[in-house]
Amino acid sequence: MPISRDFFARPAAEVAPELLGCVLEHETVAGLVAVELTEVEAYAGQADPASHAYRGQTRRNAVMFGPPGHAYVYFTYGMHFCVNLVCQGEDSASAVLLRAGAVVAGEDLARARRSGRKPGRKPGDAPDQVRLASRNLARGPARLCRALDIDRSLDGADVCLASSPLRVRGPAQGARTTVRSEDIACGPRVGVSRGAEVPWRFWFAGDPTVSAYRPHVPRQRKLVTP
DNA sequence: TTGCCGATCTTCT
DNA sequence: GAAGATCGGCAAA
């Protein structure tokens, strides 16, 4: 059974730490891949300068302004997808970004997706020789989406329905029978330039699948020499 | 192991 | 026109 919608109908900063240990599943014709969430970040909608919803509703972020328990999938840096779960009530536009997880089902399929043709790689280039370590399969928000084959077609998907291809279940049986608060660490969010002071990134302390923290660094423009 | 760099496109100024 | 909730490859240390 997926998590109830009431679970998500709360402030994102409250939902986020409780999502750790929950399992995100995506079922496709190729099979099922599931990850146990190990790292998340909360975004407080229009009140949060780091949120995509800060400047109001656009076509891209429209799902954030809808009911809780739905997936907000966005495309960024010209090649990556990231997935959020909408929280609180309608129009609050708050959400939790899923940053990393440990693959608990469909590892072979996840590895095949992650080892496939990469962005920027030309057809005909040599295929990957290295076998990805299990802990790296969903280590990072864009990698998590690639391992689960999540793209904009899943934008708005209801993760509270058992019949949905994308859904969230409670903590995995046996994996972490109890999630203890002392296992959860928090700190500033990754890669945000504004709103970096609030400790709304949550992760399992010491977990190898957690992505490395990187402070925001503005990109340098390419110099064009005449 | 760390750090730079390019890829590539949507959104906002 | 510029920046961005990123990643993987490669060079240097």
Side-chain angles (χ1 to χ4, degrees):
Chain A
M1 275 292 285
I3 291 180
S4 79
R5 198 170 313 284
D6 289 344
F7 175 87
F8 294 102
R10 297 178 290 154
E14 196 174 309
V15 174
E18 295 185 29
L19 274 173
L20 296 176
C22 291
V23 175
L24 177 70
E25 301 178 330
H26 185 204
E27 194 158 18
T28 66
V29 290
L32 176 81
V33 174
V35 298
E36 180 194 22
L37 300 175
T38 58
E39 182 190 1
V40 298
E41 283 178 0
Y43 287 84
Q46 293 185 274
D48 183 353
S51 170
H52 285 175
Y54 183 55
R55 290 186 178 78
Q57 184 171 342
T58 64
R59 196 166 67 176
R60 174 170 75 152
N61 66 20
V63 170
M64 294 180 98
F65 289 79
H70 290 253
Y72 161 50
V73 181
Y74 67 90
F75 186 63
T76 191
Y77 287 101
M79 60 179 73
H80 297 303
F81 294 101
C82 298
V83 62
N84 295 247
L85 300 178
V86 178
C87 294
Q88 211 161 351
E90 299 225 14
D91 295 327
S92 73
S94 61
V96 175
L97 170 69
L98 308 184
R99 287 198 56 88
V103 176
V104 293
E107 181 170 326
D108 290 343
L109 179 55
R111 178 172 283 110
R113 287 169 174 159
R114 289 273 285 113
S115 304
R117 195 168 63 81
K118 296 186 180 69
R121 168 171 294 220
K122 313 278 184 301
D125 282 2
D128 281 340
Q129 303 295 329
V130 295
R131 175 188 166 88
L132 282 165
S134 299
R135 66 174 181 278
N136 288 330
L137 291 175
R139 190 183 193 212
R143 293 163 171 176
L144 184 148
C145 282
R146 181 165 276 272
L148 290 187
D149 196 22
I150 291 173
D151 61 24
R152 281 286 278 176
S153 71
L154 287 167
D155 188 43
D158 189 341
V159 301
C160 298
L161 294 180
S163 58
S164 174
L166 185 70
R167 61 219 178 221
V168 178
R169 288 194 289 103
Q173 292 288 325
R176 291 175 193 274
T177 49
T178 55
V179 176
R180 300 175 306 167
S181 59
E182 57 264 37
D183 291 335
I184 298 176
C186 67
R189 294 173 292 187
V190 174
V192 301
S193 53
R194 292 165 300 180
E197 63 283 352
V198 291
W200 281 351
R201 173 181 177 237
F202 304 90
W203 68 94
F204 279 139
D207 192 289
T209 63
V210 173
S211 60
Y213 174 70
R214 297 227 197 321
H216 174 76
V217 181
R219 298 167 65 198
Q220 296 288 342
R221 300 299 305 173
K222 185 167 66 174
L223 287 175
V224 181
T225 49

